[in-house]
Amino acid sequence: MCGIIAYIGNKQALPILVKGLRRLEYRGYDSAGVAIAQDGKINRVRSVGRIDNLDEKLKDHTVEGTVGIAHTRWATHGGVTEENAHPHFGCDGKLVLVHNGIIENYRELKTNLGDTHEFKTQTDTEILAHLIEFHYEQQKIHNETPDVRLAVEHALAHVRGTYGLVVMHADHPDLLVAARLGSPLVVGIGEGEHYIASDATPMLAYTKKVIFLEDGEVAEISRDNMETYNLKDEAIEKHVEEIEWNETQAQKQGFDHFMLKEIFDQPTVFEDAIRGRYNLLEGTANLGGLNMSDDEMRSVNRVILIACGTASYAAMVGKYAFERLAGIPTEVDVASEFRYRDPIVDEHTLVFGVSQSGETADTLAALREAKRKGAFVRGIVNVVGSTIARETDGGTYIHAGPELAVASTKAYTNMVAIMVLYALQFGRLKRVSPATGQRLLKALREIPAKMHEILEQKDLIKEMALKYKDYKDFLFLGRGINFPVALEGSHKLKEISYIHSEAYPAGEMKHGVNALLASDFPVLAIMTKDQLYDKMRSNVEEIKARKAPILLIATKGDEGAKELTDDVLYVPDTMELLEPLLNTIPLQLFAYYIAVELGRDVDRPRNLAKSVTVE
Ligand code: F6R
């Protein structure tokens, strides 16, 4: 996720763009840049770090003009460097663009353009500038009147992936072209001026009148006019809407908290995590950054997943995936334990550090220890360019976008997605058949729609939360792959509602915890239709007999669940290995609504920090 702001009007663009970038910093903040057109030239200034750094740098430049584009980056492809910061040029320094999204086939497109175009960055975005420039030049070669919008449309016809983009051309200073597929863009309408941005936040100070671009639309925007087309170049009628949100509401896209927004981001960012990372035909994953040969991969006889907190619960799901698909014995180690335990690893051990921030001190120290002892050390990380990403010898970014709420939600699901893909990649080198791989990939692709189905039940989940909010203790139960889900559900509830809760594998109940069961001790049990369903059901029957209130997560269609309790939240069916990707979501929402009801500071719970950089 990155932030885009563009302006065309009669005021100086620079102050509007810089102010707009500050409003958008929540979408990404590792580097930023502006480009402004004037007198047939484009002036571009970029800087690594937050907008303050860019602002400081701009003091040494005169950047004047009334049309410009700007971007604050959250890196996905290519490290955090000034060279990789947007806006990006084509070859002749006249066409420049900003982009939010992922271009899946950027390598293929680069190859197709051949060596007539020189690339200067490691980003997936730069290809767009060159491709649009190429189509623009073709128009000239064929003696057509050069048309930026048509060049954009022709270029986008070859692109696979997602984009929200704004293009500016030095020879067309009265024009900006915007296009959207999968990454949002809003156009704000002022008097003789237009604003274009990733969301309405940066334009609210100037106008409340906006037009939302839809997927597959391309807009040609001048000071006084906006025309919208589809990718077949047919004109489209757009409606102007009046925005009622204030700035903070707009940043949260109308959600009350970042946590809720991030829970609802999950279907979209899940697609970002898996996009372009599998080959359906061969039934395998192709996560590129592992930096291991097939022989090295085959030589791995043990996997250790190192993480803390929510990331460690994601890793526990990863353990199931590695053992089931790849047949490699896998352990999950909480980083703070691993680093002091004198761990046994060797050159056949593959150690993954799993971390949203990529800065967690314990995880980092544990990885250093594993590296010292000769293991393959790789990262599964969200923040590009973070210390773990830099210090490991490869790995994969989970593409969840900035996670601002302290409680991790969308990073968890994307971590699970990546570990499943890695497990499949290893599995296909050993024992998994193409057909099994294909079945899994097809099921993975259905996950976003199923996540939506769960999110649509938010009102029912809220109702349950209201019913249960006054209990002082909770027990979360799961078995098999749903035990880590129970742990994560319990963890979410604790950290944002401050209610005491525990999670147990349901088979352990009779070894002690049964003693706690009573009418004031509610049990949230995950009883979806996996291989342990019957056993889980018996456990729930026992709890019912002991009069504890029961809330069930069950598979859609399991009417029998209603015989055990009135309180059932249904989730869609999926392959067992993928159940945590769905079953966790009602638990995130349950914790969220209880915390809100109890008046907690949901996005910033007491005593917790987003990035734990100290031991
Ligand atoms: C829980 C939570 C923490 C983190 C943990 C690891 O919602 O946010 O438990 O999961 O501190 O952080 P990362 O993933 O940044 O290493």
Side-chain angles (χ1 to χ4, degrees):
M1 198 157 83
C2 304
I4 290 175
I5 163 84
Y7 175 76
I8 181 163
N10 300 307
K11 300 179 200 141
Q12 281 300 314
L14 189 65
I16 294 171
L17 297 180
V18 173
K19 200 167 157 201
L21 287 179
R22 289 192 191 283
R23 302 282 178 277
L24 291 169
E25 227 175 355
Y26 79 96
R27 300 179 64 90
Y29 42 78
D30 60 43
S31 48
V34 295
I36 291 186
Q38 198 178 36
D39 302 333
K41 284 210 306 269
I42 305 270
N43 255 322
R44 175 179 70 169
V45 179
R46 298 175 298 168
S47 159
V48 167
R50 304 195 77 126
I51 311 304
D52 280 345
N53 296 9
L54 177 70
D55 210 8
E56 201 51 43
K57 197 164 172 190
L58 280 164
K59 289 185 181 144
D60 303 331
H61 293 74
T62 313
V63 189
E64 290 184 340
T66 56
V67 52
I69 60 180
H71 186 271
T72 173
R73 182 169 185 241
W74 176 262
T76 57
H77 295 65
V80 181
T81 62
E82 186 171 320
E83 208 50 85
N84 288 335
H86 300 219
H88 289 298
F89 278 122
C91 282
D92 68 3
K94 292 210 155 194
L95 188 141
V96 66
L97 60 76
V98 286
H99 164 235
N100 172 26
I102 295 172
I103 306 304
E104 235 175 85
N105 57 337
Y106 76 105
R107 285 194 194 86
E108 185 185 317
L109 293 171
K110 264 187 185 176
T111 314
N112 293 350
L113 267 190
D115 41 16
T116 51
H117 284 251
E118 194 197 333
F119 293 88
K120 298 203 171 80
T121 81
Q122 291 88 49
T123 65
D124 55 333
T125 295
E126 193 186 7
I127 183 62
L128 289 176
H130 288 271
L131 199 60
I132 296 167
E133 183 178 61
F134 168 80
H135 285 280
Y136 183 85
E137 291 304 321
Q138 288 294 306
Q139 296 169 349
K140 286 196 192 156
I141 291 169
H142 294 108
N143 288 327
E144 293 160 12
T145 315
D147 184 319
V148 183
R149 176 178 56 80
L150 285 181
V152 170
E153 285 175 16
H154 292 152
L156 292 180
H158 301 273
V159 166
R160 248 190 358 255
T162 54
Y163 49 79
L165 60 93
V166 185
V167 183
M168 181 169 76
H169 198 293
D171 295 341
H172 302 263
D174 298 323
L175 178 75
L176 290 172
V177 175
R180 172 194 162 142
L181 188 74
S183 298
L185 275 185
V186 189
V187 181
I189 306 161
E191 289 293 323
E193 60 182 10
H194 283 105
Y195 304 81
I196 310 165
S198 306
D199 66 46
T201 335
M203 55 189 77
L204 289 177
Y206 314 102
T207 180
K208 298 261 176 197
K209 278 200 258 167
V210 300
I211 289 176
F212 290 96
L213 283 189
E214 300 298 332
D215 281 351
E217 291 181 352
V218 181
E220 199 173 68
I221 299 158
S222 63
R223 286 174 175 77
D224 298 308
N225 196 27
M226 165 173 172
E227 284 176 15
T228 311
Y229 300 81
N230 62 22
L231 287 175
K232 290 190 219 133
D233 201 34
E234 295 158 341
I236 296 170
E237 197 65 41
K238 297 293 292 179
H239 300 289
V240 178
E241 296 181 36
E242 197 87 21
I243 291 254
E244 279 160 21
W245 296 337
N246 64 29
E247 212 167 84
T248 323
Q249 285 168 321
Q251 282 184 337
K252 293 174 188 160
Q253 285 159 28
F255 290 103
D256 288 341
H257 296 94
F258 279 112
M259 180 178 175
L260 190 60
K261 173 190 165 294
E262 287 160 8
I263 291 172
F264 274 79
D265 276 348
Q266 286 175 111
T268 309
V269 299
F270 181 86
E271 284 186 24
D272 290 342
I274 65 168
R275 176 174 294 112
R277 289 171 154 185
Y278 60 86
N279 178 333
L280 192 59
L281 206 65
E282 293 181 15
T284 189
N286 51 18
L287 288 157
L290 199 57
N291 296 333
M292 287 171 79
S293 68
D294 284 359
D295 281 342
E296 282 175 327
M297 285 172 75
R298 282 192 202 93
S299 77
V300 169
N301 61 17
R302 193 158 149 249
V303 170
I304 304 180
L305 304 167
I306 294 179
C308 301
T310 289
S312 75
Y313 304 134
M316 286 173 76
V317 178
K319 168 183 163 76
Y320 275 85
F322 272 103
E323 294 194 336
R324 238 177 241 183
L325 294 170
I328 307 175
T330 302
E331 293 156 39
V332 176
D333 241 306
V334 170
S336 51
E337 291 297 316
F338 179 92
R339 63 184 290 195
Y340 294 116
R341 214 192 48 231
D342 206 2
I344 301 164
V345 298
D346 61 23
E347 69 279 14
H348 297 294
T349 311
L350 170 59
V351 175
F352 280 108
V354 186
S355 173
Q356 187 287 128
S357 61
E359 302 293 348
T360 304
D362 283 323
T363 309
L364 188 57
L367 294 177
R368 286 178 182 152
E369 184 62 20
K371 206 168 176 177
R372 194 172 300 126
K373 296 194 163 150
F376 294 104
V377 176
R378 303 292 184 262
I380 295 174
V381 169
N382 193 32
V383 179
V384 173
S386 54
T387 312
I388 293 178
R390 281 184 280 112
E391 288 202 13
T392 46
D393 301 316
T396 291
Y397 291 118
I398 63 169
H399 291 340
E403 199 181 53
L404 300 185
V406 164
S408 185
T409 52
K410 58 180 180 171
Y412 166 90
T413 29
N414 276 20
M415 284 168 183
V416 171
I418 293 301
M419 283 185 274
V420 168
L421 285 179
Y422 264 134
L424 176 62
Q425 199 161 327
F426 276 84
R428 286 285 287 115
L429 289 178
K430 290 179 159 190
R431 53 190 222 161
V432 173
S433 69
T436 305
Q438 283 164 349
R439 256 200 315 282
L440 179 76
L441 291 171
K442 284 185 184 153
L444 258 186
R445 293 205 308 194
E446 289 169 2
I447 290 293
K450 293 181 176 180
M451 286 175 164
H452 275 298
E453 245 186 82
I454 298 171
L455 295 171
E456 276 162 19
Q457 297 179 62
K458 69 175 190 345
D459 291 338
L460 177 63
I461 300 171
K462 186 174 178 181
E463 220 175 275
M464 299 287 171
L466 297 192
K467 180 167 172 186
Y468 283 85
K469 72 178 177 22
D470 294 321
Y471 288 101
K472 299 286 171 255
D473 308 277
F474 271 85
L475 179 64
F476 284 70
L477 288 183
R479 293 189 77 128
I481 201 155
N482 281 308
F483 171 50
V485 174
L487 283 163
E488 172 57 5
S490 163
H491 187 75
K492 281 286 92 79
L493 185 67
K494 278 188 264 250
E495 63 180 341
I496 60 167
S497 75
Y498 318 151
I499 294 177
H500 166 249
S501 90
E502 300 196 34
Y504 263 83
E508 272 287 289
M509 291 294 288
K510 60 179 89 56
H511 301 290
V513 189
N514 269 347
L516 291 175
L517 293 174
S519 58
D520 61 351
F521 190 41
V523 176
L524 196 155
I526 300 135
M527 198 186 76
T528 42
K529 289 254 167 144
D530 53 31
Q531 55 175 316
L532 295 170
Y533 173 81
D534 291 335
K535 294 195 182 301
M536 188 68 201
R537 199 181 158 102
S538 311
N539 295 135
V540 176
E541 306 259 10
E542 280 175 41
I543 294 162
K544 184 176 159 115
R546 287 169 178 86
K547 306 270 186 288
I550 298 170
L551 172 53
L552 284 179
I553 307 294
T555 305
K556 199 164 93 181
D558 180 6
E559 292 307 322
K562 289 271 185 199
E563 293 159 12
L564 299 169
T565 174
D566 290 338
D567 301 337
V568 184
L569 295 171
Y570 284 108
V571 292
D573 193 18
T574 184
M575 280 175 83
E576 181 173 320
L577 201 53
L578 306 185
E579 281 190 1
L581 292 166
L582 300 178
N583 296 354
T584 309
I585 295 178
L587 307 189
Q588 295 168 344
L589 284 169
F590 182 71
Y592 170 79
Y593 285 120
I594 288 193
V596 170
E597 208 48 42
L598 296 180
R600 308 301 190 221
D601 185 352
V602 174
D603 282 339
R604 290 199 175 82
R606 67 184 183 201
N607 309 337
L608 297 176
K610 183 67 187 161
S611 187
V612 187
T613 53
V614 290
E615 204 184 326

